[in-house]
Structure formats: C-alpha cells, structure tokens
C-alpha cells in the first residue's frame, strides 16, 4: 500500500484549540514530516463549544445552532489545514478530521436525554470543499454501531508508535487531555492491545480554575503546588463505580463534573482544592495501570497534562515504572493525537481496522470513518 501524505486534526475535550500534523503513512507504518502546529479556536467558537458541552441536548435540538457551530468549527480547522498545506512541500492526499466532541455516552441505560451516542461536531463537507482535499471523519460511529464504546481509538497508533521506537515491551502510553486514557502494548499482536479511559484528565482542574479563578487552567500547576491534597476526599471519590469496572470503558468529559459541587470539596482552600483535583487525576491513572495484566517497563505521557508539573510529580510518585514525557525518546507528545488522526485516516482509506474488542468492546475489529470528497 502506498504511503500517503495526510494532515491529522485533533481538538480534544479541553477545547483549547486544534492540533495539526502532517504524517506520511499507509496505516501500518509512518514517517514524520516534522510539520505540525497548534491553532487556537476563535474566542466565540471556543465559548460556543464549552456551552454545548455543558448542555449538549439543547444544542442538538436546535438545528440552526448546531449547523452554525458545525460550520464555525470547520472554518477554524480549515485555517489550520491551509497553514500546513502552504508549508508542506508536496501534495496532501487526505485529511483525518476528528471534529469536536461535545457528548460521549456509550451506555444504553442512561437517563440523559441524548442517550447512547457520541457526538463530534464539525462540517466535514465544508472542510473538504475549502481545502479541496478528501476528508475522513466520523471515526467513532462505526465502532458504536458494532457494540463498542467508540473510544479510545488511539491504541492501534500507539502500538505502531512503540514499534517504531523499538522500546522494550510491555509499555504504556497515557494521554492526558480533558479525559485521560491509557494504552497497554504487550507485543506486535493487535489481539493483545488494551486501551480504556482512566478517569478525569485536565477537565476537573480546568473547570475549577474557570469557575472560581477566571483562568483557563492551573498554569504550570502553580496553585496546586501551594496546596495539600485531601487524601480522604480522594479515597471516597475513587469508590465510584467507574473505577471498579473492567475495560473496555470510556467517559464523557462531564462524567465527574458533579465532584466540583461536593460539599467537602467546596470547603477546601483554593490551593488545597487544586491539589486535590490534581492528585485525583494522578491516582485514577495509577489505579488504571495497576489493573493491567502486565507490569509496564515504562510509562510514556502525552497530551496537555504533561505540561502540568504538579500533575506529573503526583503521577511519578504514584507509579513504580519510569515516567517519560520528553520528545527525545522518539515520540511527539504534543502531537500524538493529531498523528493518530492521520494514521486512522489511512487505515480507513485502505480498509484496515481502527478499533478492536480489547480497546472499545466492539464485537469484532471495525473499520471506522466516513469519506467525504470535495465536490
């Protein structure tokens, strides 16, 4: 199969902007081009996304509002694509477009008005037309249709990444976005792949900072560094059913948002509150890794959470294996998710599976994604 030049686009549940990277790949192997970037959402688009996450049902019931936000998200993604195309010396074959998740619920028995579904916003037809490049999108729905949870989709790329790095197995990659997820790679056989969401990533910390301190996040973990985590409160939070369930399992960004209204939590001083949320994220990741059937030799960390020194210190203290966050080891921790979308686009193009029973709970390996060409 021919290696394709693909732009991968990812905007995670933190909704802080768009990660974009150009990858050469056939969906099995890959070559980095070194061309990537982060592109902020327009302020109005970011505000609308965050409002839709708080009340996705209202947005989905308003066709006009949804169409407007679909288009606004695609417009910002088109800007990212244009920038990379102008810098890239060659033709781009495909775009891997994740879109913006505003709701994710894999459970059939739910009281939520939207029920069991996953919603990624973004007008793929507009993006294809604006860029004149074929777009692979809606990558989660096929997995949901085949009994899977629709997430996480990263494990197949993480396995390819570890293979290219030539590291000793078993190894784990943790991605800390709004939600944190873990991939365990024990060898080359995809049947041994394990992947699942571990719990909150940056979501609770970010939401607390926005609600009480007017900041988008705890920059450099500075507030948490001045506080002391309430270990008793964390222990009670860790009793949630989610942490006792075996994988595969996945989460919506808002799944633990009610904890911010916990009476005991609201009595904490600001620094102690930030420290408690930070330690909770670290402990939930460590708990997930402890559940794995193998002991990893190394734990690699990607995503925005790796830039929080307080979170990384808490995670390092909670884990026995070495925790690696720097790019010198052969992976691009800030662009893993964007590279993933390029990799999945190639797999969709060539009819290769994008999710597996051990990663999402689908009944059999599933090829995910829809293909939309420019008119």
């Amino acid at each position: 199969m021919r290696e394709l030049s693909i732009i991968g686009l990812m905007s995670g549940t933190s909704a802080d902007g768009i990660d974009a990277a150009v990858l050469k790949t056939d969906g099995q192997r890959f070559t980095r081009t070194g061309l990537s970037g982060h592109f902020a959402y327009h302020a109005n688009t970011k505000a609308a996304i965050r409002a839709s996450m708080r009340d996705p049902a209202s947005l989905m019931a308003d066709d006009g509002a949804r169409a407007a936000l679909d288009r606004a998200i695609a417009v910002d993604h088109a800007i990212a694509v244009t920038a990379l195309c102008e810098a890239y010396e060659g033709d781009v074959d495909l775009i891997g477009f994740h879109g913006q998740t505003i709701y994710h619920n894999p459970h059939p028995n739910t009281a939520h008005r939207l029920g069991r579904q996953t919603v990624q916003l973004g007008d793929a037809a507009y993006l294809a037309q604006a860029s004149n490049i074929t777009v692979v999108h809606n990558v989660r729905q096929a997995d949901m249709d085949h009994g899977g949870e629709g997430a996480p989709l990263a494990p197949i790329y993480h396995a390819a990444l570890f293979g290219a790095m030539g590291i000793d197995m078993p190894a784990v990659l943790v991605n800390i976005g709004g939600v944190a997820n873990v991939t365990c790679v024990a060898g080359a056989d995809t049947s041994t792949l394990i992947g699942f969401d571990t719990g909150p990533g940056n979501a609770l910390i970010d939401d607390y900072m926005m609600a009480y301190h007017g900041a988008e996040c705890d920059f450099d973990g500075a507030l948490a560094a001045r506080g002391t985590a309430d270990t008793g409160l964390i222990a009670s939070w860790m009793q949630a059913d989610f942490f006792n369930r075996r994988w595969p399992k996945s989460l919506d960004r808002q799944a633990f948002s009610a904890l911010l209204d916990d009476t005991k939590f609201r009595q904490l001083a600001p620094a102690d509150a930030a420290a408690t949320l930070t330690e909770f994220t670290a402990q939930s990741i460590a708990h997930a890794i402890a559940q794995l059937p193998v002991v990893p030799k190394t734990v690699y960390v990607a995503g925005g959470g790796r830039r929080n020194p307080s979170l990384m210190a808490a995670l390092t203290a909670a884990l026995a294996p070495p925790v690696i966050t720097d790019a010198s080891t052969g992976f691009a921790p800030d662009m893993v998710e964007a590279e993933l979308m390029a990799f999945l686009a190639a797999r969709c193009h060539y009819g290769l599976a994008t999710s597996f029973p051990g990663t999402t709970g689908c009944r059999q390996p599933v090829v995910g994604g829809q293909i939309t060409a420019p008119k």
Side-chain angles (χ1 to χ4, degrees):
M1 290 181 284
R2 182 172 69 89
E3 193 174 61
L4 305 173
S5 294
I6 305 177
I7 294 178
L9 300 169
M10 170 61 79
S11 175
T13 54
S14 294
D16 55 350
I18 301 155
D19 291 332
V22 182
L23 197 70
K24 291 183 176 181
T25 179
D26 63 359
Q28 298 177 87
R29 293 159 297 277
F30 65 89
T31 304
R32 287 199 179 92
T33 65
L35 187 58
S36 64
H38 179 80
F39 301 84
Y41 275 126
H42 284 97
N44 290 344
T45 304
K46 180 190 290 188
I49 290 169
R50 288 181 169 168
S52 72
M53 288 178 177
R54 292 189 294 270
D55 187 8
S58 293
L59 180 80
M60 298 296 286
D62 186 335
D63 291 342
R66 175 176 178 173
L69 187 51
D70 269 330
R71 177 60 60 88
I73 289 168
V75 166
D76 283 0
H77 279 76
I79 292 170
V81 168
T82 298
L84 292 191
C85 285
E86 289 177 349
Y88 184 59
E89 296 181 357
D91 294 330
V92 174
D93 298 295
L94 289 174
I95 295 170
F97 177 41
H98 180 267
Q100 180 65 58
T101 299
I102 64 159
Y103 177 80
H104 178 78
N105 185 350
H107 308 297
N109 300 318
T110 178
H112 198 285
R113 282 192 289 162
L114 292 181
R116 181 183 186 272
Q117 64 172 309
T118 187
V119 180
Q120 285 76 45
L121 297 182
D123 187 336
Y126 172 87
L127 181 58
Q129 199 65 26
S131 62
N132 198 33
I133 300 170
T134 296
V135 176
V136 177
H137 59 104
N138 197 21
V139 292
R140 300 188 185 276
Q141 189 57 53
D143 181 78
M144 295 276 285
D145 292 343
H146 287 80
E149 299 222 350
L153 298 180
I156 186 61
Y157 178 61
H158 292 169
L161 179 60
F162 282 170
M165 292 165 64
I167 63 175
D168 290 337
M169 305 294 185
V172 159
L173 196 152
V174 178
N175 189 79
I176 308 177
V179 172
N181 60 70
V182 63
T183 296
C184 178
V185 183
D189 187 353
T190 57
S191 67
T192 66
L193 269 180
I194 295 171
F196 56 97
D197 287 349
T198 65
N202 304 313
L204 290 180
I205 304 168
D206 292 352
D207 288 354
Y208 170 73
M209 295 301 295
M210 282 187 278
Y212 294 98
H213 301 282
E216 292 203 342
C217 65
D218 183 11
F219 290 101
D220 296 326
L223 184 59
R226 299 198 297 270
T228 301
D230 187 322
T231 55
L233 193 54
I234 292 169
S236 69
W237 289 351
M238 289 298 300
Q239 298 306 306
D241 289 343
F242 177 81
F243 299 117
N244 296 320
R245 284 172 43 207
R246 278 183 60 82
W247 63 84
K249 54 183 179 178
S250 60
L251 280 174
D252 183 72
R253 185 189 187 281
Q254 304 298 112
F256 284 87
S257 59
L259 296 183
L260 297 181
D261 295 322
D262 185 303
T263 301
K264 292 182 179 179
F265 174 75
R266 296 191 65 174
Q267 293 172 349
L268 297 176
D272 294 341
T276 298
L277 295 174
T278 300
E279 183 68 28
F280 177 48
T281 292
Q283 289 296 326
S284 60
I285 293 169
H287 173 77
I289 292 173
Q291 289 182 310
L292 296 171
V294 295
V295 178
K297 296 180 180 179
T298 46
V299 175
Y300 291 81
V301 180
R306 65 178 274 275
R307 296 187 175 277
N308 181 331
S310 295
L311 177 54
M312 295 314 303
L315 187 58
T316 299
L319 294 174
V323 176
I324 299 172
T325 62
D326 64 275
S328 64
T329 54
F331 83 119
D334 291 325
M335 288 294 156
V336 168
E337 296 284 282
E339 292 177 352
L340 159 69
M341 289 311 303
F343 193 77
L344 293 182
R347 291 186 71 85
C348 176
H349 176 81
Y350 286 122
L352 302 172
T354 54
S355 59
F356 305 85
T359 60
T360 66
C362 52
R363 290 184 289 272
Q364 68 273 333
V366 173
V367 180
Q370 292 177 248
I371 298 175
T372 297
K375 293 180 181 178

